Amino acid sequence: MSKAREHFADDGAGHERIRSIDDEVLFKVKVQRWRGAVWADEDLPWLIAAGQREDGSPDDFYSALETTARAARAHYNANNRQPLSTTTYVGRLLPDQNDRDRYQLEAGARLVRDLAAAVRELARGSLHDGHEHAADFPAFRLGILVRADDGHETYAAVRITGSVPDDLIAVILRHVPGCDPTAWYPEYALPSRPLLPAEQAWSTLMDPKAAAELLNED
């Protein structure tokens, strides 16, 4: 899985086609003795089958894939009025709607996890120097400013530049450490400047104890 993600994330990498499969375009992925078949759905590659390389053996992954695909083609033609003109059929291996739904759910979970980690790191960095710290995401830029003075309340602000749905904004605000997720208020300016047209900002107070713990994290 890791090799497939790495190989197909590189736009400049060449991909070798599995020539024995002719009803769909499948590409090879190799790591040590493992072999895989990747089907590309627009920009999203799917690893649809995998096995081990066994030169000269019928159990060899590519040989077994071809044998199975030929048998699937014969079964399809025996049970459908319109026969396939190809010699193989791998349709049953391709992702269906359940797979696509699961991918979307997992992608959402990964985004929440990455956002939570980024929010905490940005807040921690800002606590250390009193300046805004920011990070870029695919559709927006996230900035966090935390200012804490001895004997005073700890101010926290979140700035987002770009188009972000309300539910994602709620996720970001919920993960700022030491802040009540229901106590954020829209801002029309940051402490040192007004907001630009594409920016949104919110502020609240951070729990001083949580701020101290965040500062002392390794």
Side-chain angles (χ1 to χ4, degrees):
M1 293 289 289
S2 298
K3 183 65 175 181
R5 283 194 295 267
E6 174 189 332
H7 188 62
F8 283 85
D10 182 0
D11 293 336
H15 304 310
E16 182 181 357
R17 183 174 178 179
I18 301 176
R19 298 293 177 184
S20 60
I21 303 300
D22 63 355
D23 63 302
E24 296 285 348
V25 177
L26 303 184
F27 296 105
K28 296 180 180 181
V29 60
K30 307 174 183 179
V31 56
Q32 298 177 358
R33 289 183 61 192
W34 284 98
R35 300 293 183 265
V38 173
W39 178 76
D41 180 13
E42 297 180 351
D43 294 330
L44 182 62
W46 295 82
L47 182 65
I48 63 170
Q52 289 194 333
R53 180 68 167 165
E54 300 286 351
D55 286 329
S57 168
D59 293 329
D60 173 74
F61 169 68
Y62 293 124
S63 296
L65 179 65
E66 179 184 3
T67 299
T68 302
R70 285 178 177 272
R73 181 258 188 190
H75 183 269
Y76 181 96
N77 284 353
N79 291 277
N80 290 272
R81 279 187 165 185
Q82 186 67 36
L84 297 172
S85 59
T86 57
T87 60
T88 60
Y89 177 62
V90 295
R92 63 184 184 82
L93 299 177
L94 302 184
D96 59 16
Q97 191 57 49
N98 287 333
D99 296 311
R100 292 183 172 86
D101 290 345
R102 178 170 179 172
Y103 175 82
Q104 291 296 328
L105 289 171
E106 291 178 349
R110 286 192 296 270
L111 177 58
V112 170
R113 181 190 61 202
D114 293 344
L115 271 175
V119 164
R120 191 169 191 87
E121 188 60 27
L122 294 175
R124 183 169 177 265
S126 185
L127 262 172
H128 275 286
D129 60 22
H131 297 292
E132 180 184 335
H133 284 231
D136 290 315
F137 288 86
F140 64 95
R141 182 171 177 80
L142 171 65
I144 295 182
L145 173 64
V146 183
R147 289 185 174 177
D149 295 321
D150 290 340
H152 295 82
E153 295 173 323
T154 302
Y155 168 87
V158 170
R159 173 185 62 86
I160 294 176
T161 305
S163 179
V164 180
D166 290 343
D167 55 351
L168 193 57
I169 292 173
V171 168
I172 293 170
L173 299 181
R174 186 171 69 246
H175 282 92
V176 180
C179 296
D180 181 349
T182 66
W184 290 94
Y185 295 97
E187 287 283 7
Y188 300 96
L190 293 171
S192 59
R193 64 172 178 83
L195 293 180
L196 299 175
E199 294 178 331
Q200 303 176 75
W202 301 263
S203 69
T204 191
L205 296 179
M206 179 181 288
D207 181 354
K209 291 182 179 180
E213 291 175 358
L214 193 60
L215 271 174
N216 292 326
E217 285 185 355
D218 292 332

mmCIF file with all atom_site columns, all heavy atoms in Angstrom, residues 183-196:
data_model
loop_
_atom_site.group_PDB
_atom_site.id
_atom_site.type_symbol
_atom_site.label_atom_id
_atom_site.label_alt_id
_atom_site.label_comp_id
_atom_site.label_asym_id
_atom_site.label_entity_id
_atom_site.label_seq_id
_atom_site.pdbx_PDB_ins_code
_atom_site.Cartn_x
_atom_site.Cartn_y
_atom_site.Cartn_z
_atom_site.occupancy
_atom_site.B_iso_or_equiv
_atom_site.pdbx_formal_charge
_atom_site.auth_seq_id
_atom_site.auth_comp_id
_atom_site.auth_asym_id
_atom_site.auth_atom_id
_atom_site.pdbx_PDB_model_num
ATOM 1   N N   . ALA A 1 183 ? -17.327 29.537 22.791 1.00 0.00 ? 183 ALA A N   1
ATOM 2   C CA  . ALA A 1 183 ? -17.076 30.919 23.226 1.00 0.00 ? 183 ALA A CA  1
ATOM 3   C C   . ALA A 1 183 ? -16.284 31.746 22.214 1.00 0.00 ? 183 ALA A C   1
ATOM 4   O O   . ALA A 1 183 ? -15.763 32.805 22.565 1.00 0.00 ? 183 ALA A O   1
ATOM 5   C CB  . ALA A 1 183 ? -16.346 30.902 24.573 1.00 0.00 ? 183 ALA A CB  1
ATOM 6   N N   . TRP A 1 184 ? -16.219 31.294 20.976 1.00 0.00 ? 184 TRP A N   1
ATOM 7   C CA  . TRP A 1 184 ? -15.515 32.060 19.951 1.00 0.00 ? 184 TRP A CA  1
ATOM 8   C C   . TRP A 1 184 ? -16.436 33.144 19.396 1.00 0.00 ? 184 TRP A C   1
ATOM 9   O O   . TRP A 1 184 ? -17.610 32.910 19.159 1.00 0.00 ? 184 TRP A O   1
ATOM 10  C CB  . TRP A 1 184 ? -15.075 31.143 18.813 1.00 0.00 ? 184 TRP A CB  1
ATOM 11  C CG  . TRP A 1 184 ? -13.970 30.205 19.195 1.00 0.00 ? 184 TRP A CG  1
ATOM 12  C CD1 . TRP A 1 184 ? -14.106 28.932 19.647 1.00 0.00 ? 184 TRP A CD1 1
ATOM 13  C CD2 . TRP A 1 184 ? -12.572 30.471 19.146 1.00 0.00 ? 184 TRP A CD2 1
ATOM 14  N NE1 . TRP A 1 184 ? -12.877 28.377 19.886 1.00 0.00 ? 184 TRP A NE1 1
ATOM 15  C CE2 . TRP A 1 184 ? -11.909 29.300 19.587 1.00 0.00 ? 184 TRP A CE2 1
ATOM 16  C CE3 . TRP A 1 184 ? -11.795 31.578 18.778 1.00 0.00 ? 184 TRP A CE3 1
ATOM 17  C CZ2 . TRP A 1 184 ? -10.526 29.211 19.667 1.00 0.00 ? 184 TRP A CZ2 1
ATOM 18  C CZ3 . TRP A 1 184 ? -10.414 31.481 18.850 1.00 0.00 ? 184 TRP A CZ3 1
ATOM 19  C CH2 . TRP A 1 184 ? -9.784  30.315 19.294 1.00 0.00 ? 184 TRP A CH2 1
ATOM 20  N N   . TYR A 1 185 ? -15.861 34.326 19.170 1.00 0.00 ? 185 TYR A N   1
ATOM 21  C CA  . TYR A 1 185 ? -16.629 35.462 18.638 1.00 0.00 ? 185 TYR A CA  1
ATOM 22  C C   . TYR A 1 185 ? -15.993 35.952 17.342 1.00 0.00 ? 185 TYR A C   1
ATOM 23  O O   . TYR A 1 185 ? -14.769 36.056 17.242 1.00 0.00 ? 185 TYR A O   1
ATOM 24  C CB  . TYR A 1 185 ? -16.664 36.600 19.649 1.00 0.00 ? 185 TYR A CB  1
ATOM 25  C CG  . TYR A 1 185 ? -17.401 36.238 20.915 1.00 0.00 ? 185 TYR A CG  1
ATOM 26  C CD1 . TYR A 1 185 ? -16.696 35.807 22.039 1.00 0.00 ? 185 TYR A CD1 1
ATOM 27  C CD2 . TYR A 1 185 ? -18.787 36.297 20.993 1.00 0.00 ? 185 TYR A CD2 1
ATOM 28  C CE1 . TYR A 1 185 ? -17.363 35.454 23.206 1.00 0.00 ? 185 TYR A CE1 1
ATOM 29  C CE2 . TYR A 1 185 ? -19.462 35.943 22.151 1.00 0.00 ? 185 TYR A CE2 1
ATOM 30  C CZ  . TYR A 1 185 ? -18.745 35.525 23.253 1.00 0.00 ? 185 TYR A CZ  1
ATOM 31  O OH  . TYR A 1 185 ? -19.410 35.156 24.397 1.00 0.00 ? 185 TYR A OH  1
ATOM 32  N N   . PRO A 1 186 ? -16.815 36.269 16.341 1.00 0.00 ? 186 PRO A N   1
ATOM 33  C CA  . PRO A 1 186 ? -16.250 36.807 15.089 1.00 0.00 ? 186 PRO A CA  1
ATOM 34  C C   . PRO A 1 186 ? -15.521 38.121 15.340 1.00 0.00 ? 186 PRO A C   1
ATOM 35  O O   . PRO A 1 186 ? -15.951 38.945 16.144 1.00 0.00 ? 186 PRO A O   1
ATOM 36  C CB  . PRO A 1 186 ? -17.486 37.019 14.205 1.00 0.00 ? 186 PRO A CB  1
ATOM 37  C CG  . PRO A 1 186 ? -18.549 36.165 14.819 1.00 0.00 ? 186 PRO A CG  1
ATOM 38  C CD  . PRO A 1 186 ? -18.271 36.133 16.284 1.00 0.00 ? 186 PRO A CD  1
ATOM 39  N N   . GLU A 1 187 ? -14.419 38.289 14.647 1.00 0.00 ? 187 GLU A N   1
ATOM 40  C CA  . GLU A 1 187 ? -13.624 39.511 14.761 1.00 0.00 ? 187 GLU A CA  1
ATOM 41  C C   . GLU A 1 187 ? -13.628 40.249 13.426 1.00 0.00 ? 187 GLU A C   1
ATOM 42  O O   . GLU A 1 187 ? -13.749 39.632 12.357 1.00 0.00 ? 187 GLU A O   1
ATOM 43  C CB  . GLU A 1 187 ? -12.175 39.176 15.139 1.00 0.00 ? 187 GLU A CB  1
ATOM 44  C CG  . GLU A 1 187 ? -11.986 38.731 16.573 1.00 0.00 ? 187 GLU A CG  1
ATOM 45  C CD  . GLU A 1 187 ? -12.023 39.899 17.559 1.00 0.00 ? 187 GLU A CD  1
ATOM 46  O OE1 . GLU A 1 187 ? -12.327 41.035 17.129 1.00 0.00 ? 187 GLU A OE1 1
ATOM 47  O OE2 . GLU A 1 187 ? -11.747 39.671 18.755 1.00 0.00 ? 187 GLU A OE2 1
ATOM 48  N N   . TYR A 1 188 ? -13.457 41.552 13.497 1.00 0.00 ? 188 TYR A N   1
ATOM 49  C CA  . TYR A 1 188 ? -13.354 42.380 12.298 1.00 0.00 ? 188 TYR A CA  1
ATOM 50  C C   . TYR A 1 188 ? -11.952 42.931 12.110 1.00 0.00 ? 188 TYR A C   1
ATOM 51  O O   . TYR A 1 188 ? -11.666 43.620 11.132 1.00 0.00 ? 188 TYR A O   1
ATOM 52  C CB  . TYR A 1 188 ? -14.380 43.518 12.356 1.00 0.00 ? 188 TYR A CB  1
ATOM 53  C CG  . TYR A 1 188 ? -15.793 42.994 12.430 1.00 0.00 ? 188 TYR A CG  1
ATOM 54  C CD1 . TYR A 1 188 ? -16.442 42.860 13.653 1.00 0.00 ? 188 TYR A CD1 1
ATOM 55  C CD2 . TYR A 1 188 ? -16.453 42.576 11.275 1.00 0.00 ? 188 TYR A CD2 1
ATOM 56  C CE1 . TYR A 1 188 ? -17.726 42.344 13.723 1.00 0.00 ? 188 TYR A CE1 1
ATOM 57  C CE2 . TYR A 1 188 ? -17.737 42.062 11.340 1.00 0.00 ? 188 TYR A CE2 1
ATOM 58  C CZ  . TYR A 1 188 ? -18.370 41.945 12.560 1.00 0.00 ? 188 TYR A CZ  1
ATOM 59  O OH  . TYR A 1 188 ? -19.638 41.413 12.642 1.00 0.00 ? 188 TYR A OH  1
ATOM 60  N N   . ALA A 1 189 ? -11.080 42.590 13.058 1.00 0.00 ? 189 ALA A N   1
ATOM 61  C CA  . ALA A 1 189 ? -9.684  43.013 12.977 1.00 0.00 ? 189 ALA A CA  1
ATOM 62  C C   . ALA A 1 189 ? -8.850  42.122 13.882 1.00 0.00 ? 189 ALA A C   1
ATOM 63  O O   . ALA A 1 189 ? -9.355  41.570 14.870 1.00 0.00 ? 189 ALA A O   1
ATOM 64  C CB  . ALA A 1 189 ? -9.531  44.469 13.401 1.00 0.00 ? 189 ALA A CB  1
ATOM 65  N N   . LEU A 1 190 ? -7.595  41.980 13.531 1.00 0.00 ? 190 LEU A N   1
ATOM 66  C CA  . LEU A 1 190 ? -6.631  41.325 14.400 1.00 0.00 ? 190 LEU A CA  1
ATOM 67  C C   . LEU A 1 190 ? -5.963  42.406 15.257 1.00 0.00 ? 190 LEU A C   1
ATOM 68  O O   . LEU A 1 190 ? -6.091  43.604 14.963 1.00 0.00 ? 190 LEU A O   1
ATOM 69  C CB  . LEU A 1 190 ? -5.604  40.569 13.561 1.00 0.00 ? 190 LEU A CB  1
ATOM 70  C CG  . LEU A 1 190 ? -6.173  39.372 12.784 1.00 0.00 ? 190 LEU A CG  1
ATOM 71  C CD1 . LEU A 1 190 ? -5.130  38.817 11.815 1.00 0.00 ? 190 LEU A CD1 1
ATOM 72  C CD2 . LEU A 1 190 ? -6.655  38.295 13.738 1.00 0.00 ? 190 LEU A CD2 1
ATOM 73  N N   . PRO A 1 191 ? -5.257  42.033 16.321 1.00 0.00 ? 191 PRO A N   1
ATOM 74  C CA  . PRO A 1 191 ? -4.685  43.066 17.200 1.00 0.00 ? 191 PRO A CA  1
ATOM 75  C C   . PRO A 1 191 ? -3.812  44.096 16.499 1.00 0.00 ? 191 PRO A C   1
ATOM 76  O O   . PRO A 1 191 ? -3.778  45.255 16.898 1.00 0.00 ? 191 PRO A O   1
ATOM 77  C CB  . PRO A 1 191 ? -3.862  42.227 18.193 1.00 0.00 ? 191 PRO A CB  1
ATOM 78  C CG  . PRO A 1 191 ? -4.568  40.923 18.248 1.00 0.00 ? 191 PRO A CG  1
ATOM 79  C CD  . PRO A 1 191 ? -5.060  40.682 16.851 1.00 0.00 ? 191 PRO A CD  1
ATOM 80  N N   . SER A 1 192 ? -3.130  43.692 15.433 1.00 0.00 ? 192 SER A N   1
ATOM 81  C CA  . SER A 1 192 ? -2.190  44.620 14.793 1.00 0.00 ? 192 SER A CA  1
ATOM 82  C C   . SER A 1 192 ? -2.647  45.139 13.440 1.00 0.00 ? 192 SER A C   1
ATOM 83  O O   . SER A 1 192 ? -1.979  45.995 12.847 1.00 0.00 ? 192 SER A O   1
ATOM 84  C CB  . SER A 1 192 ? -0.831  43.934 14.622 1.00 0.00 ? 192 SER A CB  1
ATOM 85  O OG  . SER A 1 192 ? -0.969  42.772 13.823 1.00 0.00 ? 192 SER A OG  1
ATOM 86  N N   . ARG A 1 193 ? -3.822  44.672 12.950 1.00 0.00 ? 193 ARG A N   1
ATOM 87  C CA  . ARG A 1 193 ? -4.254  45.115 11.614 1.00 0.00 ? 193 ARG A CA  1
ATOM 88  C C   . ARG A 1 193 ? -5.694  44.722 11.376 1.00 0.00 ? 193 ARG A C   1
ATOM 89  O O   . ARG A 1 193 ? -6.228  43.815 12.013 1.00 0.00 ? 193 ARG A O   1
ATOM 90  C CB  . ARG A 1 193 ? -3.366  44.492 10.529 1.00 0.00 ? 193 ARG A CB  1
ATOM 91  C CG  . ARG A 1 193 ? -3.480  42.968 10.460 1.00 0.00 ? 193 ARG A CG  1
ATOM 92  C CD  . ARG A 1 193 ? -2.735  42.428 9.256  1.00 0.00 ? 193 ARG A CD  1
ATOM 93  N NE  . ARG A 1 193 ? -2.775  40.976 9.181  1.00 0.00 ? 193 ARG A NE  1
ATOM 94  C CZ  . ARG A 1 193 ? -3.779  40.277 8.657  1.00 0.00 ? 193 ARG A CZ  1
ATOM 95  N NH1 . ARG A 1 193 ? -4.844  40.906 8.171  1.00 0.00 ? 193 ARG A NH1 1
ATOM 96  N NH2 . ARG A 1 193 ? -3.726  38.954 8.600  1.00 0.00 ? 193 ARG A NH2 1
ATOM 97  N N   . PRO A 1 194 ? -6.363  45.393 10.406 1.00 0.00 ? 194 PRO A N   1
ATOM 98  C CA  . PRO A 1 194 ? -7.718  44.976 10.023 1.00 0.00 ? 194 PRO A CA  1
ATOM 99  C C   . PRO A 1 194 ? -7.661  43.722 9.161  1.00 0.00 ? 194 PRO A C   1
ATOM 100 O O   . PRO A 1 194 ? -6.604  43.351 8.629  1.00 0.00 ? 194 PRO A O   1
ATOM 101 C CB  . PRO A 1 194 ? -8.234  46.172 9.208  1.00 0.00 ? 194 PRO A CB  1
ATOM 102 C CG  . PRO A 1 194 ? -6.993  46.798 8.656  1.00 0.00 ? 194 PRO A CG  1
ATOM 103 C CD  . PRO A 1 194 ? -5.925  46.624 9.706  1.00 0.00 ? 194 PRO A CD  1
ATOM 104 N N   . LEU A 1 195 ? -8.803  43.070 9.022  1.00 0.00 ? 195 LEU A N   1
ATOM 105 C CA  . LEU A 1 195 ? -8.866  41.880 8.181  1.00 0.00 ? 195 LEU A CA  1
ATOM 106 C C   . LEU A 1 195 ? -8.915  42.253 6.706  1.00 0.00 ? 195 LEU A C   1
ATOM 107 O O   . LEU A 1 195 ? -9.488  43.283 6.327  1.00 0.00 ? 195 LEU A O   1
ATOM 108 C CB  . LEU A 1 195 ? -10.101 41.049 8.522  1.00 0.00 ? 195 LEU A CB  1
ATOM 109 C CG  . LEU A 1 195 ? -10.145 40.398 9.897  1.00 0.00 ? 195 LEU A CG  1
ATOM 110 C CD1 . LEU A 1 195 ? -11.452 39.613 10.052 1.00 0.00 ? 195 LEU A CD1 1
ATOM 111 C CD2 . LEU A 1 195 ? -8.952  39.481 10.114 1.00 0.00 ? 195 LEU A CD2 1
ATOM 112 N N   . LEU A 1 196 ? -8.314  41.425 5.884  1.00 0.00 ? 196 LEU A N   1
ATOM 113 C CA  . LEU A 1 196 ? -8.394  41.593 4.444  1.00 0.00 ? 196 LEU A CA  1
ATOM 114 C C   . LEU A 1 196 ? -9.708  41.002 3.939  1.00 0.00 ? 196 LEU A C   1
ATOM 115 O O   . LEU A 1 196 ? -10.353 40.219 4.639  1.00 0.00 ? 196 LEU A O   1
ATOM 116 C CB  . LEU A 1 196 ? -7.200  40.917 3.777  1.00 0.00 ? 196 LEU A CB  1
ATOM 117 C CG  . LEU A 1 196 ? -5.819  41.468 4.183  1.00 0.00 ? 196 LEU A CG  1
ATOM 118 C CD1 . LEU A 1 196 ? -4.709  40.641 3.542  1.00 0.00 ? 196 LEU A CD1 1
ATOM 119 C CD2 . LEU A 1 196 ? -5.698  42.930 3.800  1.00 0.00 ? 196 LEU A CD2 1
#
